[in-house]
Amino acid sequence: AHDPVLVGSPDGGMRMVFGGIRTTDPADPYVAGYLWQSSSPADGLAWTLSPQPAVTANTGYASSGSGATTLPDGTLVAAYPQGDSIYYQVGANAPLSFEVPDCCAYHMTLAQDAGVVYAAWYANGDSVATMGQFVRTIHPTLGPVMKVPGSSSTFSGNPGALDPSQHVAMTTRNGGGVYIAFCQGYPTCDSVRLWRVGAGKALELPGSNDAS
């Protein structure tokens, strides 16, 4: 499993979301290869594996970086990329999915702002339009795919994008707004940029030139 993700639970504890296959025993209910969830009190000393998958899609074991968040009522929302598909699920509802135009997607992150869930991922497609970092609302409705401005560049006439090698750095802030931080430039990072989702451009963080 790549990048298991930890989120809060309504009772003040924690939930961990991850992909995996527990055994090869066909009688084991955790053999299906879904994205699973496990819960713990706030002290993290004892964990309970839930019988309810986080995403009931049997490629979850091959997740390329799982994402999770919670709705204001505590409902878990989880997602993962695998190849050119992104799968997601809200609570115990049926899983949904959509395709990216050019394989492949990685490093999923989810963030919730006023009940709206945003999914962000990195893609290493073959063109400027299909490489870089991307974001899309997945709940309560599926919105348009937006590319993070400046998350890909051209070097020696060829397009390129830096792989973040971790969850896409997306979060919300008190008072509203969803933000993504990323390294702009290729093949090295020219500077760190901060983009408020939906804004016309990303802002350069002062003093971040040649960040590594």
Side-chain angles (χ1 to χ4, degrees), residues 18-153:
F18 57 93
I21 297 175
R22 188 166 70 174
T23 69
T24 57
D25 180 357
D28 187 339
Y30 300 100
V31 76
Y34 298 150
L35 210 65
W36 302 103
Q37 56 177 310
S38 185
S39 61
S40 169
D43 59 19
L45 295 179
W47 289 85
T48 302
L49 186 59
S50 172
Q52 170 61 47
V55 181
T56 313
N58 61 11
T59 54
Y61 75 95
S63 166
S64 296
S66 307
T69 189
T70 54
L71 297 178
D73 66 1
T75 300
L76 179 70
V77 184
Y80 71 91
Q82 202 275 322
D84 58 1
S85 298
I86 291 175
Y87 301 86
Y88 64 99
Q89 183 169 322
V90 179
N93 294 327
L96 300 169
S97 67
F98 61 88
E99 307 294 311
V100 298
D102 195 1
C103 193
C104 295
Y106 304 89
H107 312 313
M108 176 67 63
T109 297
L110 300 186
Q112 181 267 135
D113 184 36
V116 178
V117 177
Y118 295 76
W121 65 93
Y122 165 80
N124 63 350
D126 294 325
S127 68
V128 169
T130 59
M131 67 172 57
Q133 296 187 29
F134 299 85
V135 64
R136 184 178 203 178
T137 60
I138 60 171
H139 178 80
T141 58
L142 192 62
V145 175
M146 296 177 283
K147 182 175 178 180
V148 177
S151 61
S152 66
S153 305

